[in-house]
Amino acid sequence: MKKLFSILAMMSLMTFGTIQAQETEAAESQADSTQAVEATSEEAAPAEEAAVVEESDETAAEGRGFTQELKQRFIEGGPGFMGIVLLCLILGLAISIERILYLNLSTTNSKKLIDDVEAALKSGGVNAAKEVCRNTAGPVASIFYQGLDRSGHGVESAEKAVMAYGGVQMGQLEKNVSWISLFIALAPMLGFMGTVIGMIQAFDRIEAAGTMDASLVAGGIKVALLTTVFGLIVAIILQVFYNYIVAKIDAIVNDMEDASISLVDILSDLEKK
C-alpha cells in the first residue's frame, strides 16, 4: 500500500513537473515572439521615418525644382524678348487691377438711389435730391446730379444732360482698357518674333558649322519655342482679366441706362403735377 502511494506520488510529481515545464516553455516562446515583434517594429520605425523624410525632401525638391526650372527657362529664352514679354505682363496686370478696383467702387445700388432721390424730390425739392446725389459715389449718382441740375429748364433739357453725361461716364469706365487689349496682342507677337529670330540663328549656326548637327538645331529651336510659350501665357492671363473688366463695364452701363430712364420718368411725373 505504501508502495502504491509512493508510485502515485511519484507519478503526480512527474506529471506536475511536465506541465510546469510546458508552461515555462510556452511563456518563453511567447516572450521571444514578443521581443521579435518589438525588434521588428523598432527596425521598421526608423525605416518609416526615413521614408517620410525622403518624401518630404522630394516634395521640397520638386517645389524648388519648379521655381528653378521656370527661372532657367526664362533665362534660356533670352533677356531681350523675354524681358519685353514680362514687361507686358506687369503693365497689363497693373492696369487690370486698377480698373477692377475702380469698377467695383463705381458699382451703386441704383434702386436705393432712385428711391432716395424720389423721396427727396417730394419732401425737399430739387436741392434735396441733388444733395443725395452729391453724397453718393458712382457714375449713376453723377448722372442724376447733372439731370437734376438741368431740370429747371424742362424735362427735355434734363434728358439731354443725362444722355450727354452718360457718355462721359462711359468713357471714364473704359479708360485704359485699350492698353490691356494691346498687351494681349503684343505679347504673343513678340513671342513669335523671338521664335523666328531663334530659327534664323539656328540656321546661321548650321551654315557656319557646315554640317547638319542636331545639337545646333535643337538649341536654337528650344530658345525660339520658349519665347512663344511665355508670350502665349501672358496673353492668356491678361485675356481673363480683360473679359472680366468688359463684362463689369457692360453691367454698369446697363444699370446707368435703366436708372436714367427712371429719373426722366420721375421728373416727368413731377412736372405734370
Side-chain angles (χ1 to χ4, degrees):
M1 195 70 178
K2 291 181 180 180
K3 289 182 179 181
L4 181 59
F5 283 120
S6 300
I7 292 171
L8 291 174
M10 291 293 293
M11 290 177 65
S12 63
L13 289 172
M14 291 176 64
T15 303
F16 180 76
T18 303
I19 295 172
Q20 190 72 20
Q22 291 177 352
E23 290 179 355
T24 304
E25 290 178 358
E28 291 177 355
S29 63
Q30 185 176 359
D32 293 338
S33 63
T34 303
Q35 291 177 356
V37 170
E38 291 178 354
T40 304
S41 62
E42 289 177 358
E43 292 176 356
E48 292 177 356
E49 292 178 358
V52 172
V53 172
E54 289 178 359
E55 289 178 358
S56 62
D57 292 340
E58 290 177 357
T59 304
E62 289 177 358
R64 292 194 302 269
F66 175 76
T67 306
Q68 294 296 327
E69 184 71 16
L70 185 63
K71 181 180 178 181
Q72 183 66 27
R73 295 298 183 184
F74 184 85
I75 295 172
E76 289 176 356
F81 286 97
M82 298 296 282
I84 299 174
V85 172
L86 180 61
L87 182 62
C88 290
L89 176 62
I90 293 172
L91 294 177
L93 288 177
I95 296 173
S96 299
I97 293 171
E98 186 272 333
R99 284 292 89 190
I100 290 172
L101 293 175
Y102 179 82
L103 294 174
N104 287 329
L105 292 174
S106 299
T107 304
T108 309
N109 188 353
S110 298
K111 188 176 183 306
K112 182 177 182 301
L113 179 61
I114 292 170
D115 294 338
D116 293 342
V117 169
E118 187 174 7
L121 283 171
K122 292 178 180 178
S123 61
V126 176
N127 291 328
K130 288 168 66 176
E131 187 66 24
V132 172
C133 296
R134 192 181 293 110
N135 294 329
T136 304
V140 177
S142 299
I143 292 171
F144 277 23
Y145 184 87
Q146 296 297 325
L148 292 169
D149 194 36
R150 304 296 191 282
S151 62
H153 301 283
V155 177
E156 291 183 359
S157 179
E159 185 176 359
K160 289 180 181 179
V162 167
M163 292 177 62
Y165 204 70
V168 174
Q169 290 297 319
M170 188 181 300
Q172 292 292 328
L173 295 175
E174 295 176 350
K175 184 180 178 181
N176 294 330
V177 176
S178 59
W179 287 102
I180 303 175
S181 61
L182 172 65
F183 293 137
I184 292 172
L186 189 62
M189 284 195 293
L190 289 171
F192 293 144
M193 185 181 294
T195 299
V196 174
I197 292 175
M199 297 293 291
I200 293 172
Q201 292 175 352
F203 284 110
D204 287 340
R205 293 192 190 98
I206 294 172
E207 184 180 5
T211 58
M212 187 64 180
D213 191 359
S215 61
L216 296 175
V217 181
I221 293 176
K222 182 179 72 172
V223 172
L225 294 178
L226 284 173
T227 56
T228 302
V229 169
F230 275 90
L232 292 174
I233 291 173
V234 170
I236 291 170
I237 294 172
L238 294 181
Q239 186 68 50
V240 173
F241 284 97
Y242 178 79
N243 288 348
Y244 174 79
I245 291 170
V246 170
K248 191 74 173 176
I249 291 173
D250 291 339
I252 294 174
V253 170
N254 291 331
D255 191 28
M256 287 165 49
E257 292 176 353
D258 293 339
S260 299
I261 294 172
S262 300
L263 177 64
V264 173
D265 292 339
I266 293 171
L267 293 178
S268 299
D269 294 338
L270 289 177
E271 188 178 25
K272 291 178 181 179
K273 292 180 181 179

